[in-house]
Amino acid sequence: VALRPIVFFRREDGAVVALEDRCPHRFAPPSLGRLVGDHVQCGYHGLEFDVEGRCAKNPHGPCLDRMQVRAFPTVERYDLIWVWPGDPAGADPDRIPDLSHLYCDGRRTRFQHLEADYRYDILVDNLMDLSHTGYLHRESAGGPAQERATTIRDEGDVVVVEDVNLRQPPPSAFGPDGPLTDIRVITRWHPGNVIPFDAESVPSGEPLGAGHHLRFTHICTPSTASGTHYFFSLTRDADDDEAGDGASDEYQRGVVVDEDSPMLSAINRVMAGRELMDMQPVLLPTDRAGLRVRRAIDRLIAAEQRAGVDDERVRI
Ligand code: FES
Ligand SMILES: [Fe+2]
């Protein structure tokens, strides 16, 4: 996670623990060892670490202060494990975005995960600029709208984009809404690259507000310098529709794996680790939200650095 190897395990009481997955002796990953009660035992020479990362047992001599691994604050919420890889003093569970739409009455969510071979910011740019939908997702999303309007606003650290597409061929995910549909997507980028979409479609010309809703949630967690843990889910307003799970999974996997990912992998190869703005890209009006997110990330990193975090930083 964010260039750091992390081992996760559950304590006997069920709470999740996240420790650096690098033993201070010969750097074996403790994840290859075993659990002894609430301790993780390194599988190489048997040093044991407690939930705070301190050496709890050394079978070869005394436990010394230096025999320590880092412990990362974690919270389990919405069936997801939220890890804070920065200064532990800055960990604040209140800053976890509200994703209660994932598990509320009347709704049903299916989660998937992809080890993506492209950098997280290439993925965030993709999610913040849905003008690609009419082209890259022509198959699943129906094709370009005849008219588009986009508004962008900040809500604190959150960047909100509202896209309205008028007179668009109907996307397969929403069901039959007539020969042409109007679609509104409200996208929210939260720090940590948590990006829920609230998407609604109505037969073209009808008022937005009471149409079909689909909620897509994307979490783009940097893994390596050029890879991303891409968690994505689709929430439908149908809590008992177990029979529809297969089609829902297949639809979203098709969009992510067959449509977005080959393009984003190719871009990642061309960019070869360079920063976007260093390559002097041509900018379009549709890039505004992605650029605003980049500025928000820069601002948050600068604030953390001013607070004296001297860690090696990655842009998360
Ligand atoms: S590498 Fe972990 S105990 Fe030796
Ligand atoms: Fe896409």
Side-chain angles (χ1 to χ4, degrees), residues 227-300:
T228 304
H229 290 294
Y230 186 3
F231 303 93
F232 52 97
S233 69
L234 177 44
T235 303
R236 2 201 254 289
D237 289 341
D239 60 353
D240 54 357
D241 179 26
E242 202 177 330
D245 287 349
S248 164
D249 291 353
E250 202 178 316
Y251 169 78
Q252 206 184 12
R253 216 161 172 85
V255 170
V256 168
V257 176
D258 301 336
E259 296 178 345
D260 280 316
S261 283
M263 186 64 83
L264 302 186
S265 301
I267 290 168
N268 191 73
R269 285 195 294 277
V270 172
M271 291 183 70
R274 287 172 288 184
E275 295 299 326
L276 177 72
M277 296 316 277
D278 292 348
M279 294 178 73
Q280 298 178 352
V282 167
L283 295 177
L284 301 175
T286 49
D287 288 312
R288 280 182 303 144
L291 294 175
R292 200 178 281 220
V293 164
R294 285 172 180 273
R295 282 198 298 275
I297 292 174
D298 286 344
R299 209 168 53 233
L300 289 163

Side-chain angles (χ1 to χ4, degrees), residues 17-20 50-54 68-73 84 86 88:
V17 179
L19 300 180
E20 184 182 10
D50 66 15
V51 297
E52 307 288 345
R54 289 179 303 244
Q68 237 203 56
V69 294
R70 251 185 96 170
F72 301 98
W84 179 257

